[in-house]
Amino acid sequence: DTEVTQTPKHLVMGMTNKKSLKCEQHMGHRAMYWYKQKAKKPPELMFVYSYEKLSINESVPSRFSPECPNSSLLNLHLHALQPEDSALYLCASSPRGWDTEAFFGQGTRLTVV
Amino acid sequence: ELKVEQNPLFLSMQEGKNYTIYCNYSTTSDRLYWYRQDPGKSLESLFVLLSNGAVKQEGRLMASLDTKARLSTLHITAAVHDLSATYFCAVDIRLGNQFYFGTGTSLTVIP
């Protein structure tokens, strides 16, 4: 299995809703990442988990809350989002967190209404 | 503030022609990655460059890294339509695969 799987593929949520994005990989990778990508822009790093511990939080607002329950799973909990948070959210993983490429999932396209 | 700039931002080229995409970055790093993204799709890894002078080739694409100049290039040889996509370079400045992506180059290859 060489895939990073993200669910759901599409999500529409209201500003008062709570929802979660899920990411799963079974490649034994020990580093996992969340990126946000707005239309026609490059991906922006949000969070990095290394060996299931949060190692980087790129000053992301608290309405985004990451969670890494185990080495294969990464969640992004969403609460009280704003319309400007609408974007493609990409999960990625890498074998050990350095000197290798990251493998990206297909992303969740999020629309906040 | 880290800046990773690519040029050109948009490139329209005819099939069979050659061209180079440039990636300049503003801080010290000897780890640079190239990715491809098709519209509405995820990112596909193309090249991993881990030292000064590194050169990698795959098919019609060749990437190189000059860490002293803080410059990477992606050279396209004899372009074909299938190469149409957006290409991103990404710099890792903290040795942790914490990629900071360039502005992207949208490539269209015209038959």
Side-chain angles (χ1 to χ4, degrees), chain B residues 15 64 87 93:
Chain B
E15 278 190 334
S64 66
Y87 293 84
I93 63 170

Side-chain angles (χ1 to χ4, degrees), chain A residues 2-43:
Chain A
T2 58
E3 284 190 349
V4 177
T5 304
Q6 290 186 245
T7 55
K9 288 187 169 47
H10 300 274
L11 178 62
V12 179
M13 62 184 289
M15 290 188 284
T16 58
N17 290 161
K18 287 185 181 180
K19 296 286 184 183
S20 296
L21 309 185
K22 181 180 173 182
C23 174
E24 195 166 3
Q25 58 87 13
H26 296 288
M27 296 179 280
H29 291 178
R30 304 315 302 266
M32 297 185 77
Y33 314 81
W34 282 114
Y35 285 85
K36 173 183 177 179
Q37 187 178 25
K38 302 280 276 184
K40 300 193 185 301
K41 296 290 186 183

Side-chain angles (χ1 to χ4, degrees), chain A residues 34-85:
Chain A
W34 282 114
Y35 285 85
K36 173 183 177 179
Q37 187 178 25
K38 302 280 276 184
K40 300 193 185 301
K41 296 290 186 183
E44 297 177 0
L45 183 64
M46 299 175 72
F47 301 105
V48 179
Y49 273 84
S50 179
Y51 290 84
E52 299 156 52
K53 293 190 187 309
L54 182 65
S55 60
I56 294 290
N57 174 343
E58 288 285 13
S59 303
V60 179
S62 59
R63 57 185 183 269
F64 296 91
S65 175
E67 178 196 19
C68 189
N70 60 56
S71 60
S72 300
L73 283 175
L74 185 66
N75 298 320
L76 186 62
H77 303 298
L78 314 172
H79 173 56
L81 295 193
Q82 303 296 310
E84 58 264 30
D85 295 322

Side-chain angles (χ1 to χ4, degrees), chain A residues 6 31 33 35 37 40-45 48 55-56 58 88 90-91 94-107 109, chain B residues 6 10 30-31 33 35 37 39-48 50 86 88-89 92 94-104:
Chain A
Q6 290 186 245
Y33 314 81
Y35 285 85
Q37 187 178 25
K40 300 193 185 301
K41 296 290 186 183
E44 297 177 0
L45 183 64
V48 179
S55 60
I56 294 290
E58 288 285 13
L88 180 67
L90 292 161
C91 173
S94 68
R96 57 180 181 273
W98 66 89
D99 288 359
T100 63
E101 69 263 57
F103 296 83
F104 283 80
Q106 293 297 310
R109 189 160 299 281
Chain B
Q6 292 178 231
F10 299 94
D30 56 3
R31 287 160 172 76
Y33 305 78
Y35 283 86
Q37 188 174 37
K41 302 290 186 181
S42 189
L43 292 135
E44 175 191 355
S45 175
L46 294 175
F47 298 108
V48 178
L50 299 177
T86 298
F88 290 101
C89 63
D92 177 7
R94 289 188 285 209
L95 307 182
N97 282 136
Q98 294 151 33
F99 301 133
Y100 293 87
F101 282 84
T103 45

Side-chain angles (χ1 to χ4, degrees), chain B residues 46-50 53-58 61-64 74:
Chain B
L46 294 175
F47 298 108
V48 178
L49 304 169
L50 299 177
V55 178
K56 296 275 185 75
Q57 181 161 7
E58 181 72 34
L61 300 178
M62 183 173 71
S64 66
L74 181 66

